Amino acid sequence: MDTEVLVAGAGPTGLMLANQLVRRGVRTLIIDRHAGPSLETRALGVQARTLEIYSHMGIADRALELGKRGTGGNIWADGQRRARVALSDAGEKVTPYPFLLVLGQDDNERIMGDHLRELGCSVQWNTALVSLTQQADSVTAVLKLADGSHRNILAAWVAGCDGARSVVRESNGITFAGAPYEHVFFVADTEMTGSMVPDEVNVYLFRNGFHLLFPMRGKDHWRIAGILPQAQRDKPDLKFDAVIPSLRNEGGEGLSIRSCTWFSTYRIHHRSAVRFRDRRCFLLGDAAHIHSPVGAQGMNTGLQDAYNLAWKLALVVKNQAKPALLDSYEQERVPVARALLNGTDRAFRLVVSDTWLAGLLRTKVLAKIAAFAVNRKAVQKAAFRTISQTGIRYPKSFLSKSLHGLPDTAPQAGDRFPWVLLRFAANGPVEDLFQKLSDTQFNLILIGQPPLPENAFAFDDDLVRVHAIAKDATNDDELSRAQIPQPSFYLIRPDGYIGLCGTRLETGDLRAYFAQNVYLNTAREQHVKERTAATG
Ligand SMILES: Cc1cc2nc3c(=O)[nH]c(=O)nc-3n(C[C@H](O)[C@H](O)[C@H](O)COP(=O)(O)OP(=O)(O)OC[C@H]3O[C@@H](n4cnc5c(N)ncnc54)[C@H](O)[C@@H]3O)c2cc1C
């Protein structure tokens, strides 16, 4: 086998996957048909859930240093500011990162690419995947190299992170169901001043469309995203000048544009692959789903796909779990993509519809509803959880098992375990649970439970890190705030989601969960496999 996993595509999704696989000790080859990293900003919003993952990788500080924190959002209509939502309030106590980090895709790729190199793996640029054929226990991939020659390589698994025109998807004959929108999007990176609230996201709604303005690093730097006026949709080689009149129209007299360093137009589609897997090949990121950029979800969703698949693939590659575990990737990520496509499609149609009535809806009704809704704390919190991706759940996954006895209000199997600050040792310091969790292991949180018996696990102990929570008044308050009952136990998957939970931990339940839900190979099976491999 030339490699255990071939990652096709070194965009954000491929870089995240390669990072996660390499840090878990998986032999990985990552290729990209381009000569080097992309220099275009493209996606700009890094969501809280992505920053939580960056923190486990040790790159969150670098991202925070380079990015700009968007702590609020403002909605404008008819030249007036109609509503403001404070993201820092809505996300407080939900995540250590209660904001939208404005950091270009190029910077995200650079940070992840640098980290991958530090882990000892580099992207093989100028290398395109041309086709692939699957066998029972491997995949043959045909690569085109920089000098135009072809090379066949054998991989145990292939991850298609190769974007909207994915060769992995097409080689496996997987339909990319959906359609293009008739609208044409534009993006522009500018230096300008005007009515915008500094350091915050500004949304301008007007009769003929909308403009989103994101604060970028540096003084008066703004990313503008919007749709082209109808009359300009089919004009080739359009320049930034073409959108200035409509910007001035709703940005007001005070708008002063000094420069534009990047302007691009593109047609967008909403499509989803009908399957995210074909035997030994997986689809992730834009190869699996594309949608409108309204909501800054595209790049982040690809990163979550990669984080979801990586730990499962690593356990299977290292023979610690059976391949049946991998079925949960599709089961968990397809519904997330479908919900995202439906949600962004609805929002997009509302903000871009060309009809006169929709124009009226946008400036009058939508702005009013937004102003009313954002003043409601519960609405703000729900919106934050959705947009920040901290609210993604997998309740229907076969990996999610809540045992009897937990109240409905408690965190349940399939939820991301809540962010809490706890005292782990009696009289010790109050610490951030997310910093204590290992994302290369399962984590077992024990609250008011007797100590675990010797040999509680029928497998390698390194797979689970145990955290016993001390009985303490501070802990009582924090647990009750997060609606975590006492006594209880929570087995958290490496990607931070609750796998198994209940009120009283029985070793038998734990063992059964690992054997029947996670499909872990028992120590004996593992031992036999290793011996067979050693003797050939
Ligand atoms: C102009 C523009 C603006 C955008 N703005 C936003 C935004 O504001 N917010 C947002 O969330 N999203 C935005 N997006 C979408 C966002 O860029 C994507 O969702 C994101 O790039 C997906 O990452 P990915 O790694 O899955 O795919 P990609 O970034 O497309 O990366 C795929 C990689 O695979 C490589 N590749 C392709 N085919 C092959 C092959 N056969 N062999 C080897 N390598 C191959 C490509 O060279 C590329 O590097 C925007 C997109 C565009 C085009």
Side-chain angles (χ1 to χ4, degrees), residues 20 23-24 49-60 97 115 307 433-440 443 494-496:
Q20 297 300 338
R23 61 196 281 263
R24 288 171 169 80
R49 182 67 193 130
T50 298
L51 287 169
E52 291 174 3
I53 297 171
Y54 280 3
S55 169
H56 280 298
M57 296 163 71
I59 58 174
Y97 309 102
H115 195 254
Y307 200 54
L433 175 75
F434 281 12
Q435 296 292 326
K436 304 281 281 186
L437 296 180
S438 158
D439 75 339
T440 52
N443 293 271
D495 58 358

Side-chain angles (χ1 to χ4, degrees), residues 9 11-13 32-34 43 105 128-129 161-162 167 266 286 298-299:
T13 306
D32 198 289
R33 67 187 164 94
H34 285 146
Q105 185 170 326
L129 173 70
C161 306
D162 47 349
V167 170
Y266 60 107
D286 276 18
M299 177 176 76

Side-chain angles (χ1 to χ4, degrees), residues 7-16 30-38 40-47 105 109 124-131 142-144 160-168 185-187 212 214 223 225 262-268 284-303 305 389:
V7 178
T13 306
L15 287 167
M16 172 59 86
I30 173 166
I31 59 164
D32 198 289
R33 67 187 164 94
H34 285 146
S38 156
E40 287 182 351
T41 345
R42 295 170 72 188
L44 203 64
V46 181
Q47 302 291 356
Q105 185 170 326
E109 291 181 19
Q124 196 169 307
W125 297 106
N126 278 317
T127 307
L129 173 70
V130 178
S131 63
V142 181
L143 308 185
K144 187 174 175 197
C161 306
D162 47 349
R165 298 209 172 102
S166 168
V167 170
V168 177
F185 236 85
F186 77 84
V187 285
L212 298 172
F214 294 94
R223 152 70 64 89
W262 180 54
F263 179 75
S264 178
T265 61
Y266 60 107
R267 272 192 189 277
I268 52 173
L284 303 89
D286 276 18
H289 41 75
I290 49 172
H291 48 82
S292 99
V294 171
Q297 300 291 304
M299 177 176 76
N300 294 277
T301 306
L303 299 179
D305 289 343
Q389 303 198 344

Side-chain angles (χ1 to χ4, degrees), residues 164-186:
R165 298 209 172 102
S166 168
V167 170
V168 177
R169 191 186 65 236
E170 284 168 11
S171 298
N172 282 297
I174 300 175
T175 309
F176 206 26
Y181 290 105
E182 71 268 29
H183 299 87
V184 179
F185 236 85
F186 77 84

Side-chain angles (χ1 to χ4, degrees), residues 234-240 263 265:
D234 297 316
K235 288 191 183 157
D237 298 330
L238 216 61
K239 299 276 184 302
F240 177 59
F263 179 75
T265 61

